[in-house]
Amino acid sequence: MKQKLDYDSGPLLAALRGDNIRLEQAEKIADFIRCIGADRCLMEFEDARISRDFANSVTRLANVDMANDYKSMKAANAQLEDIRILEEAGLIEKLDEKLKDVVMLRLADPEASLNELAKLYQAKTGIVVSKSGLKHRFVKIHDLAVKAEGKTDE
């Protein structure tokens, strides 16, 4: 059974005359292969396309993970710097217990993500704290570090 191509007659006529044609979109290529009845070729083409799409998806996910890890490390380093400033100013002991607990957790596990710190916080204190709750505490610590250095945060 013949299928009709849904394209301008120019490329189709060129194919019928034996001239070269160029199809750039994968769907159009698959339609053309299907139309000329090359089923085995179509299956090989679709297999290659699916494999390529899968590899691209895996690469994209790996890139997202690497970007998230980089952001987590950058944030953790900034938090450690804020803690260092507070230590040098002698302000760690003046923090409330919640902030002290967060400082101690960060010092104990400098590479932990906020999710990991939240689990550690719960294990240590028995109190559930969210990722945003920890972030809020680190913002307070940052504000105190900025004040301790006597500069404004821009």
Side-chain angles (χ1 to χ4, degrees):
M1 176 166 79
K2 290 187 177 182
Q3 293 178 335
K4 183 178 178 190
L5 280 177
D6 190 23
Y7 308 111
D8 298 334
S9 60
L12 182 57
L13 290 176
L16 293 175
R17 287 194 315 259
D19 297 334
N20 293 330
I21 62 169
R22 181 177 175 140
L23 298 173
E24 293 184 358
Q25 295 176 346
E27 289 298 321
K28 289 183 180 181
I29 294 168
D31 288 347
F32 178 76
I33 295 171
R34 189 177 299 110
C35 184
I36 62 172
D39 294 332
R40 193 181 81 212
C41 182
L42 177 64
M43 293 309 247
E44 289 173 7
F45 174 78
E46 291 292 358
D47 185 48
R49 187 169 71 147
I50 290 168
S51 295
R52 184 189 68 235
D53 288 348
F54 180 75
N56 288 344
S57 294
V58 169
T59 300
R60 201 170 12 263
L61 288 173
N63 288 343
V64 166
D65 282 345
M66 284 178 26
N68 286 342
D69 289 345
Y70 174 76
K71 284 173 38 181
S72 291
M73 284 184 1
K74 188 176 175 183
N77 286 336
Q79 293 160 359
L80 289 168
E81 179 62 16
D82 290 339
I83 292 168
R84 184 193 61 77
I85 292 167
L86 293 178
E87 283 178 331
E88 288 178 359
L91 297 175
I92 295 290
E93 293 306 316
K94 295 180 182 178
L95 297 175
D96 65 42
E97 285 304 311
K98 291 179 180 179
L99 294 181
K100 275 189 208 175
D101 288 340
V102 170
V103 165
M104 295 307 140
L105 286 174
R106 175 52 76 202
L107 290 173
D109 200 345
E111 295 179 3
S113 68
L114 286 178
N115 280 332
E116 293 165 338
L117 286 179
K119 289 176 185 173
L120 292 170
Y121 186 87
Q122 182 179 1
K124 180 180 180 199
T125 65
I127 299 169
V128 177
V129 65
S130 66
K131 200 168 111 172
S132 64
L134 281 178
K135 171 77 172 144
H136 181 70
R137 292 176 190 180
F138 281 119
V139 168
K140 283 184 179 180
I141 291 168
H142 176 72
D143 291 344
L144 291 170
V146 168
K147 286 180 186 175
E149 278 197 325
K151 63 181 181 184
T152 58
D153 189 25
E154 298 177 31

